[in-house]
Amino acid sequence: MTFLNALQLIGGVGIFLYSIKLISESLQLLAGNSLQNLIGMLTRTPVLGVLVGTLVTVLIQSSSATTVMTVSFVDAGLMTLKQAIGVIMGANIGTTVTGQIIAFKIKDYCYLFIILGSLLQLFGKTNHQKNLGSGLFGFGLLFVGMQTMEQSMDVLRTREDLFLAFSHNPFLGVLAGTVLTLLIQSSSATVGLTIALGMQGLLPLEAAIPIILGDNIGTTITAVLASLGTCRYAKQACLAHVLFNVIGVCIFLPLMPVYIDTIRASADTIGHQIANAHTFFNICNTLIFLPFVGLFAKLITTIIPNPRKPERPKSYLDPKLIEFTPAVAVDAVKNECLTMGATLLSTIDKIEELYFHHGEISKEELLSLEGNLDKFHIEIQDYSQKLMRAGVTDKELVRLHSYVSSAGDMERIGDKCKMLFHIWDKKRSLNSEFSAQALEELKRMFDKANTAVEIAIQNITLPPERAKEMAAQLTELAVEVRAMETEIRHLHVNRLADGICNSTISLSFLDAVGAIEHMCYRAKKMTQVICHTQD
């Protein structure tokens, strides 16, 4: 093989990899909420997990994206190991669709897809049309990459001896497939290259099948990389992916003669035979493992034991989701907002204990809670900006803006909690107290504001109709709180005139009233923004 042939081969692989990436990104944008709904169907049933894993992988044309997403969900505590195993098995089946597509001889029409895709990208009026165009362009480019690889290896037609070793020693073929997939980080590209070699008559079926088996081992590197820096549960999911493929290959190697004969009988052309070998291996491997998912999960937890104390997710904002599944990353932002909301409600509870139930809270504890809210806000903003640059649909972009806005409102409510603490601390340092009547008025107002914040946070997850009902209730609360603020200020002036209230902390009391009213205002704003995105 000359230098130009080698350059052509590398270029063909590059075009193929780029086309797969383009198809995957386009399909994810087209799928949008469908992808999230499919994942939401997941239950404790491993069979359903297999179906979901298969459908998601077919939908986004990337088993790497599905496995990374699965590891991220386990890391975030959204998925159990048993569920993850089912999804991973399904992802292995779903990824074989690419091999089946490229085995069909439709490369003569590849430029038609490229032309149609280009026209839609250039002249499409909606993002949906442009994304469809991008997907069609990538689909056409897929076969251009295949043609380029085939042409680069045409000079090797007389050197069949180069690949005979894989026929005589299947272990070498498995090793070659593993290493190749590790290097190019794409099982589909390895399958495509193997099909190209087979179609050129360079690779007999006996040599191609071990390479395909090795490809299934090599593809697990993506999950391994995704598990770095994650919790122990995510590492268990990664190990399940690795062992599932390694054990499967070990089962199939002794049966190689029978398997080769079965695959040879499945199709007339070697391209289809190689694609079938990839598909049949993953389907059969799944059928072998499916009845023993529980035992397999126990084996995984024996190798990597569960932590003694339950691990809480550090954050839902996994950068890998942006790279592989932007549509799911939007939901990750929503979940992070809910976690931020739980921290905010805990902060409000501390203030309530302090003011109305003779509780205690140190300055350090309060500042820690408020600091966490600031951190949530910054991380949600930064993550969302990266996600916007990665590309999401218009509908998801609106959702994303609403979550960022909600995080900002929650951070400002946290600031008001800090202000209320400082008011209380100042009052205590002056050895002064609010009158019983003033404190009772403040409590009634605080309770309504607290309820408003709870509704606003709850509305992030509610369906549109229910969210609008709760928003109407919150609007009424906000009107009541506003009226209460006016009334309390008037009553406070009267108490000052009668000498009931302490003039030293008079302004502090009015500041507290203003802070509580502002909490309710921010809660109302949160709900209005969330409901607007659901119209």
Side-chain angles (χ1 to χ4, degrees):
M1 178 179 278
T2 65
F3 173 74
L4 288 176
N5 290 129
L7 201 62
Q8 188 179 8
L9 175 61
I10 295 169
V13 172
I15 293 171
F16 190 92
L17 289 172
Y18 177 70
S19 67
I20 290 290
K21 183 175 184 292
L22 200 60
I23 293 169
S24 177
E25 290 175 349
S26 303
L27 287 173
Q28 285 183 57
L29 290 171
L30 284 169
N33 291 333
S34 300
L35 179 64
Q36 298 160 28
N37 292 336
L38 278 174
I39 297 164
M41 287 166 54
L42 191 65
T43 67
R44 295 177 183 273
T45 310
V47 175
L48 190 55
V50 172
L51 292 175
V52 170
T54 303
L55 287 172
V56 169
T57 306
V58 169
L59 192 64
I60 63 179
Q61 279 296 290
S62 174
S63 62
S64 296
T66 306
T67 53
V68 167
M69 182 168 51
T70 303
V71 170
S72 298
F73 278 16
V74 174
D75 185 38
L78 297 174
M79 191 181 289
T80 65
L81 176 61
K82 213 171 173 183
Q83 291 171 329
I85 291 171
V87 176
I88 287 167
M89 291 192 293
N92 281 17
I93 296 173
T95 194
T96 65
V97 171
T98 307
Q100 293 292 344
I101 291 171
I102 60 181
F104 284 97
K105 293 182 178 179
I106 57 174
K107 59 186 178 184
D108 295 336
Y109 303 99
C110 64
Y111 295 105
L112 177 62
F113 290 108
I114 289 174
I115 291 168
L116 287 173
S118 299
L119 289 174
L120 279 171
Q121 281 183 296
L122 290 171
F123 303 109
K125 294 181 179 180
T126 65
N127 282 336
H128 184 84
Q129 292 172 348
K130 290 179 184 293
N131 291 330
L132 179 60
S134 181
L136 288 173
F137 183 85
F139 188 71
L141 209 60
L142 183 78
F143 293 96
V144 172
M146 280 293 297
Q147 282 182 322
T148 306
M149 288 190 288
E150 287 178 19
Q151 290 166 6
S152 69
M153 292 178 290
D154 193 53
V155 296
L156 296 176
R157 281 182 181 274
T158 58
R159 296 299 310 276
E160 294 181 17
D161 57 299
L162 290 174
F163 303 97
L164 285 177
F166 298 153
S167 301
H168 301 313
N169 191 340
F171 292 101
L172 282 178
V174 171
L175 181 62
T178 301
V179 172
L180 185 58
T181 308
L182 284 172
L183 289 174
I184 62 180
Q185 287 283 290
S186 171
S187 61
S188 296
T190 303
V191 174
L193 189 58
T194 307
I195 290 174
L197 286 165
M199 286 180 169
Q200 287 293 336
L202 294 167
L203 202 63
L205 187 61
E206 292 83 358
I209 289 180
I211 293 174
I212 294 299
L213 294 180
D215 160 79
N216 284 277
I217 296 175
T219 194
T220 62
I221 187 62
T222 309
V224 172
L225 294 174
S227 71
L228 296 177
T230 58
C231 71
R232 196 173 298 190
Y233 297 118
K235 289 181 173 65
Q236 289 173 345
C238 169
L239 179 62
H241 189 209
V242 174
L243 286 184
F244 173 70
N245 286 299
V246 170
I247 294 173
V249 170
C250 291
I251 292 171
F252 271 73
L253 276 176
L255 305 173
M256 192 61 69
V258 177
Y259 190 53
I260 290 170
D261 290 340
T262 304
I263 295 300
R264 185 174 281 115
S266 70
D268 296 328
T269 63
I270 191 166
H272 282 291
Q273 288 171 352
I274 293 171
N276 289 345
H278 193 208
T279 302
F280 289 178
F281 167 77
N282 284 291
I283 291 175
C284 292
N285 201 27
T286 298
L287 291 174
I288 291 169
F289 270 83
L290 203 52
F292 308 105
V293 169
L295 291 174
F296 187 48
K298 286 182 181 178
L299 172 64
I300 299 299
T301 52
T302 301
I303 299 170
I304 302 179
N306 291 329
R308 292 180 181 177
K309 293 181 179 179
E311 294 184 16
R312 292 180 60 84
K314 297 183 287 295
S315 172
Y316 290 104
L317 307 181
D318 190 337
K320 302 183 193 77
L321 291 178
I322 297 178
E323 180 183 355
F324 288 97
T325 52
V328 177
V330 176
D331 262 4
V333 176
K334 178 186 77 173
N335 290 331
E336 193 73 1
C337 282
L338 292 172
T339 306
M340 181 181 183
T343 303
L344 175 60
L345 291 176
S346 177
T347 307
I348 292 172
D349 287 344
K350 293 288 184 183
I351 296 298
E352 182 179 10
E353 284 288 323
L354 184 68
Y355 267 74
F356 311 115
H357 303 294
H358 307 292
E360 285 294 331
I361 178 175
S362 67
K363 185 176 182 180
E364 291 74 19
E365 185 180 359
L366 188 282
L367 290 178
S368 175
L369 286 168
E370 202 275 331
N372 285 338
L373 292 172
D374 290 342
K375 186 180 177 184
F376 273 118
H377 183 214
I378 292 168
E379 289 178 350
I380 287 171
Q381 271 190 322
D382 292 345
Y383 188 85
S384 298
Q385 286 172 2
K386 292 175 184 175
L387 185 51
M388 289 173 194
R389 288 195 292 268
V392 291
T393 63
D394 289 344
K395 188 175 181 180
E396 287 164 341
L397 187 62
V398 173
R399 285 178 62 211
L400 201 55
H401 278 302
S402 74
Y403 298 146
V404 173
S405 175
S406 295
D409 287 325
M410 286 190 283
E411 189 271 334
R412 288 173 180 83
I413 293 172
D415 287 341
K416 295 304 173 184
C417 287
K418 183 168 71 171
M419 180 179 175
L420 285 169
F421 175 82
H422 287 313
I423 290 169
W424 182 267
D425 197 45
K426 178 183 177 182
K427 177 176 68 68
R428 185 169 52 183
S429 66
L430 293 172
N431 199 26
S432 298
E433 293 292 339
F434 295 146
S435 67
Q437 188 179 350
L439 207 56
E440 178 59 32
E441 291 167 355
L442 210 61
K443 185 178 187 308
R444 286 192 293 111
M445 189 178 179
F446 187 90
D447 286 344
K448 289 185 180 294
N450 191 4
T451 301
V453 175
E454 288 176 353
I455 292 172
I457 293 169
Q458 186 183 5
N459 260 16
I460 295 175
T461 60
L462 291 178
E465 291 304 318
R466 182 64 179 145
K468 286 174 183 176
E469 288 177 15
M470 299 298 282
Q473 181 182 337
L474 201 154
T475 301
E476 292 177 9
L477 267 175
V479 171
E480 288 179 31
V481 169
R482 183 73 181 178
M484 287 178 73
E485 181 195 21
T486 303
E487 182 186 1
I488 289 171
R489 287 179 184 275
H490 178 72
L491 291 171
H492 179 66
V493 170
N494 290 338
R495 285 195 297 272
L496 277 175
D498 295 339
I500 298 173
C501 283
N502 189 335
S503 59
T504 308
I505 54 171
S506 171
L507 290 177
S508 294
F509 176 77
L510 294 177
D511 287 341
V513 171
I516 294 170
E517 190 280 328
H518 192 80
M519 287 167 61
C520 193
Y521 162 74
R522 286 290 171 185
K524 183 184 77 171
K525 181 174 172 290
M526 272 179 66
T527 302
Q528 287 173 339
V529 173
I530 291 292
C531 286
H532 176 70
T533 64
Q534 296 174 336
D535 289 336

